[in-house]
Amino acid sequence: MASANSSWSEEDFSCSICLNVLDRPVSTPCGHIFCRPCIITFWEDQLEYKCSFCNEHFNRRPDLRVNTLFSEMVEQFKSSVQVKEQPCVVPGKVYCDVCTGTKLKAVTSCLECFISYCHTHLEPHQLVAHLKRHLLVDAMDGLEDRACKKHGRLLELFCQTDQVCVCQSCTEEDHKSHPVVPLKEEYEVKTAQLGKIEADVQQMIQERQQKIQEIRDTVDRSREVADREISDGLHVLTALMHRIEKWQDDLIQTVEEKLKSTEKEAKGLLKKLQQEVEDLTNRSSEVKQLSHTEDHLHLLQAFRSLKDPPPTRDWTTVEVRPPSYVGTLRRLLGQLEEMLNMEMKKLPDSELKRVQQYEVDVTLDPDTAHPHLILSEDGKQVHHGGVERKLQDSPKRFTRYLRVLGKQSFSSGRFYFEVQVKDKTGWWLGVARESVNRTGIVTSTPDNGYWNIFFYNNELKFNDNPAVRLPLRAELQKVGVFVDYDEGLVSFYDVEARVHLYSATGCIFTEPLHQYFSPGLHNAGENSPPLIISPVNQTD
């Protein structure tokens, strides 16, 4: 292995151009050795190729050769000098690449030589003519990254085809046919793009922060609702348990009192029976004793008192009947049922108040309305006009049945709306999938994308296959419709009576839902009142 003589000085390994220790040393055909960046930069400033040391001319740019042996000696010399002088370097600062002793802080970096200089070692760039033309900048780290790995020249251009930084030599070889621009020009373009990217990122951050807050608010509201639900439920159930415990005590007391009464009666009868048994037993003993006597006179005299049994009760009709508990439990269960019915009557009102909080503003979509339907200007009322109107064609329009959808659609969450149906003899209300058939003969059932109740011939039903008949306590005036998209739930309410009418559960929603209305035929005026979308009044 080559070794550097310890008696050699820095001058023996210096470049004749930059006067510094050789950096990536290469030799010319004439045998002189230079720093690779220095000789390449030197030739760029010359009209013809020659050796900067002996001025030998070359017909073309010569191939620079790496002297492996000499390169190893240079590296060993650098190492030996660094070990000997133990230069002091503080991380985080840029130091002169030329200093061999204690490293001085660099003041300038050369983008041609890719070396950082202190004030002292910068002098050649201030004195030598061709070095004066080098591009100097404030001292910076990572200069090697600014040089082309292939040609060793400054990366000063940008290839727009490959989107990479290139040097001038690259444009004459691999990127010859590609459009290139100065780095500064592309820098301005990319800076402008970064501005937009930053704006987009900030917008995305804000949207996600809003969503985070929205989710947190939802969780907080859900926790409040859950706490309230638990509190209300525990209040009702606790009261119910206390009442059941009292009824349990009443049941035990009633049964025990009846049993005690029976036991007392039986005890009295048993006492009398035992007394009579004792009296009869005594009489039996007297009779037996008398029957064995041989005293004629004594037998005849005693016989009169013994011939009749002692006074006893006729027990043939006497019995102890077990107590009857029939009706005791039934009476208590009746009271429980009455109490549950009272609580059930309270439940729809509180339930309705909760779903009313999800009220949405609903307006009718005229582009979907059947030509026979008349909509109010504010889009809140619809009735059957009886005459087909000439309307603009729309692929959204119902042409077979008297139907119209709401403008608003929902693909998640919950929503609620109310519709006045007062004085009408027929109507349909609910929600429908966005893709429902608008022209064919299609019944409005869940299989076909409709979830609705209808009133016809004084009957209220949920429109299914088959239809589900619903109890109708009184004339409906206003109907509330609640949908929980994510839970697959559609519920209907009698708003005035505060009564739950029906809930379709387990519904599968895979696309947006719209509010669905059908006012029915006017029937010569009998069903002429409109369906009216009403604002929610939670004080009803």
Side-chain angles (χ1 to χ4, degrees):
M1 178 180 291
S3 60
N5 193 311
S6 59
S7 62
W8 290 350
S9 65
E10 181 177 335
E11 183 177 354
D12 296 316
F13 296 100
S14 296
C15 171
S16 60
I17 297 177
C18 67
L19 306 179
N20 298 319
V21 176
L22 288 163
D23 176 32
R24 289 169 286 170
V26 293
S27 61
T28 58
C30 59
H32 294 112
I33 299 175
F34 306 92
C35 297
R36 179 184 178 87
C38 291
I39 190 61
I40 289 176
T41 304
F42 175 76
W43 283 338
E44 288 176 355
D45 298 329
Q46 305 297 321
L47 298 177
E48 54 185 8
Y49 299 112
K50 64 178 182 179
C51 175
S52 67
F53 188 79
C54 66
N55 287 328
E56 180 177 343
H57 287 73
F58 310 110
N59 294 329
R60 61 182 182 81
R61 177 172 172 170
D63 293 330
L64 297 173
R65 300 180 182 275
V66 177
N67 189 318
T68 305
L69 181 61
F70 191 77
S71 296
E72 291 180 0
M73 294 174 65
V74 171
E75 291 303 318
Q76 288 190 22
F77 174 78
K78 288 182 178 179
S79 300
S80 65
V81 172
Q82 290 174 354
V83 171
K84 183 187 298 184
E85 299 189 5
Q86 296 180 344
C88 177
V89 178
V90 179
K93 292 185 179 181
V94 180
Y95 290 90
C96 178
D97 293 323
V98 182
C99 291
T100 56
T102 300
K103 296 260 183 199
L104 298 179
K105 185 177 179 181
V107 295
T108 302
S109 295
C110 177
L111 296 183
E112 303 290 337
C113 302
F114 303 109
I115 294 176
S116 296
Y117 300 100
C118 64
H119 282 293
T120 302
H121 291 105
L122 181 62
E123 289 183 2
H125 280 74
Q126 297 171 335
L127 301 176
V128 180
H130 72 274
L131 294 179
K132 288 182 178 180
R133 293 193 290 271
H134 287 190
L135 180 60
L136 302 178
V137 296
D138 291 339
M140 62 174 62
D141 277 327
L143 290 175
E144 62 277 4
D145 296 332
R146 295 179 174 271
C148 176
K149 303 299 183 185
K150 182 176 181 180
H151 302 100
R153 301 183 65 180
L154 179 66
L155 296 171
E156 55 185 344
L157 301 172
F158 185 82
C159 174
Q160 295 179 325
T161 300
D162 295 334
Q163 294 290 297
V164 295
C165 297
V166 297
C167 69
Q168 187 63 44
S169 297
C170 292
T171 63
E172 300 171 0
E173 298 178 6
D174 298 340
H175 303 268
K176 185 174 182 180
S177 60
H178 297 173
V180 295
V181 295
L183 289 184
K184 182 178 181 181
E185 182 177 330
E186 188 64 25
Y187 167 84
E188 293 174 351
V189 172
K190 290 294 191 288
T191 301
Q193 292 178 354
L194 286 175
K196 184 179 183 305
I197 292 173
E198 174 65 13
D200 292 342
V201 170
Q202 288 299 324
Q203 178 66 25
M204 293 173 68
I205 291 173
Q206 291 180 7
E207 291 173 353
R208 280 149 183 78
Q209 288 177 337
Q210 291 175 357
K211 181 59 67 176
I212 289 172
Q213 189 60 45
E214 178 183 327
I215 293 174
R216 286 175 175 169
D217 291 343
T218 300
V219 171
D220 290 340
R221 288 196 301 271
S222 298
R223 187 177 293 111
E224 292 175 0
V225 172
D227 291 342
R228 186 168 60 249
E229 188 74 16
I230 291 173
S231 176
D232 294 346
L234 288 178
H235 176 74
V236 173
L237 294 175
T238 300
L240 184 60
M241 285 189 293
H242 287 163
R243 185 63 62 87
I244 290 175
E245 289 174 356
K246 182 179 183 303
W247 288 333
Q248 176 180 297
D249 294 340
D250 291 345
L251 174 65
I252 295 173
Q253 182 178 352
T254 301
V255 171
E256 288 182 345
E257 286 178 353
K258 287 186 176 182
L259 177 60
K260 286 180 180 179
S261 177
T262 300
E263 289 176 340
K264 182 178 180 181
E265 179 186 2
K267 184 177 181 180
L269 293 173
L270 289 172
K271 183 177 181 180
K272 291 179 180 180
L273 281 167
Q274 288 171 350
Q275 183 62 49
E276 289 188 3
V277 168
E278 183 180 349
D279 293 342
L280 289 171
T281 300
N282 293 334
R283 176 61 55 89
S284 176
S285 297
E286 292 176 355
V287 170
K288 286 180 179 180
Q289 183 179 1
L290 186 62
S291 65
H292 290 90
T293 184
E294 295 180 354
D295 187 344
H296 300 152
L297 177 63
H298 175 70
L299 185 149
L300 294 175
Q301 289 177 341
F303 182 81
R304 179 180 296 181
S305 60
L306 295 178
K307 69 175 182 177
D308 297 324
T312 57
R313 181 177 179 177
D314 182 4
W315 294 97
T316 57
T317 60
V318 176
E319 63 178 338
V320 176
R321 296 181 180 180
S324 173
Y325 305 112
V326 176
T328 303
L329 182 58
R330 182 178 297 277
R331 175 178 56 81
L332 295 177
L333 291 177
Q335 295 177 0
L336 174 60
E337 182 180 13
E338 182 180 350
M339 181 178 182
L340 288 175
N341 287 335
M342 292 177 59
E343 294 299 331
M344 288 294 289
K345 288 179 182 179
K346 299 176 183 177
L347 185 60
D349 184 63
S350 60
E351 180 181 326
L352 183 59
K353 287 181 179 179
R354 290 174 187 172
V355 301
Q356 284 178 329
Q357 297 176 8
Y358 298 98
E359 177 190 11
V360 294
D361 184 22
V362 178
T363 52
L364 302 170
D365 185 356
D367 291 338
T368 67
H370 186 279
H372 284 180
L373 296 181
I374 306 298
L375 275 60
S376 62
E377 291 185 4
D378 62 0
K380 298 294 185 181
Q381 301 184 26
V382 58
H383 68 277
H384 180 214
V387 179
E388 184 170 350
R389 297 174 298 149
K390 293 183 179 180
L391 300 174
Q392 184 177 358
D393 290 339
S394 170
K396 297 163 51 177
R397 191 176 307 285
F398 289 97
T399 58
R400 184 78 186 184
Y401 296 103
L402 300 174
R403 298 171 180 172
V404 61
L405 299 179
K407 287 183 178 180
Q408 294 74 20
S409 67
F410 297 87
S411 300
S412 64
R414 306 177 179 117
F415 63 93
Y416 173 85
F417 62 98
E418 293 180 353
V419 181
Q420 180 177 308
V421 297
K422 184 178 179 182
D423 299 328
K424 291 191 64 62
T425 60
W427 47 263
W428 284 254
L429 283 176
V431 293
R433 285 197 305 250
E434 193 168 67
S435 65
V436 291
N437 190 317
R438 321 249 173 145
T439 59
I441 301 176
V442 179
T443 56
S444 56
T445 61
D447 290 341
N448 296 322
Y450 296 85
W451 291 265
N452 65 103
I453 60 173
F454 69 93
F455 179 71
Y456 187 69
N457 286 340
N458 289 320
E459 289 187 342
L460 182 66
K461 297 180 179 180
F462 176 73
N463 208 4
D464 205 343
N465 189 17
V468 181
R469 187 169 181 175
L470 308 178
L472 191 61
R473 298 174 177 82
E475 180 183 356
L476 277 173
Q477 298 188 37
K478 189 182 292 185
V479 174
V481 182
F482 171 71
V483 175
D484 188 328
Y485 189 102
D486 303 314
E487 291 293 329
L489 172 70
V490 182
S491 297
F492 302 89
Y493 298 87
D494 178 345
V495 178
E496 299 299 325
R498 320 296 288 182
V499 172
H500 170 258
L501 296 173
Y502 184 78
S503 285
T505 59
C507 308
I508 299 176
F509 304 132
T510 58
E511 58 182 89
L513 294 179
H514 290 261
Q515 302 83 12
Y516 162 64
F517 310 83
S518 177
L521 295 169
H522 62 67
N523 287 339
E526 291 185 5
N527 191 35
S528 60
L531 290 175
I532 303 174
I533 301 171
S534 306
V536 172
N537 182 3
Q538 296 193 28
T539 60
D540 285 347

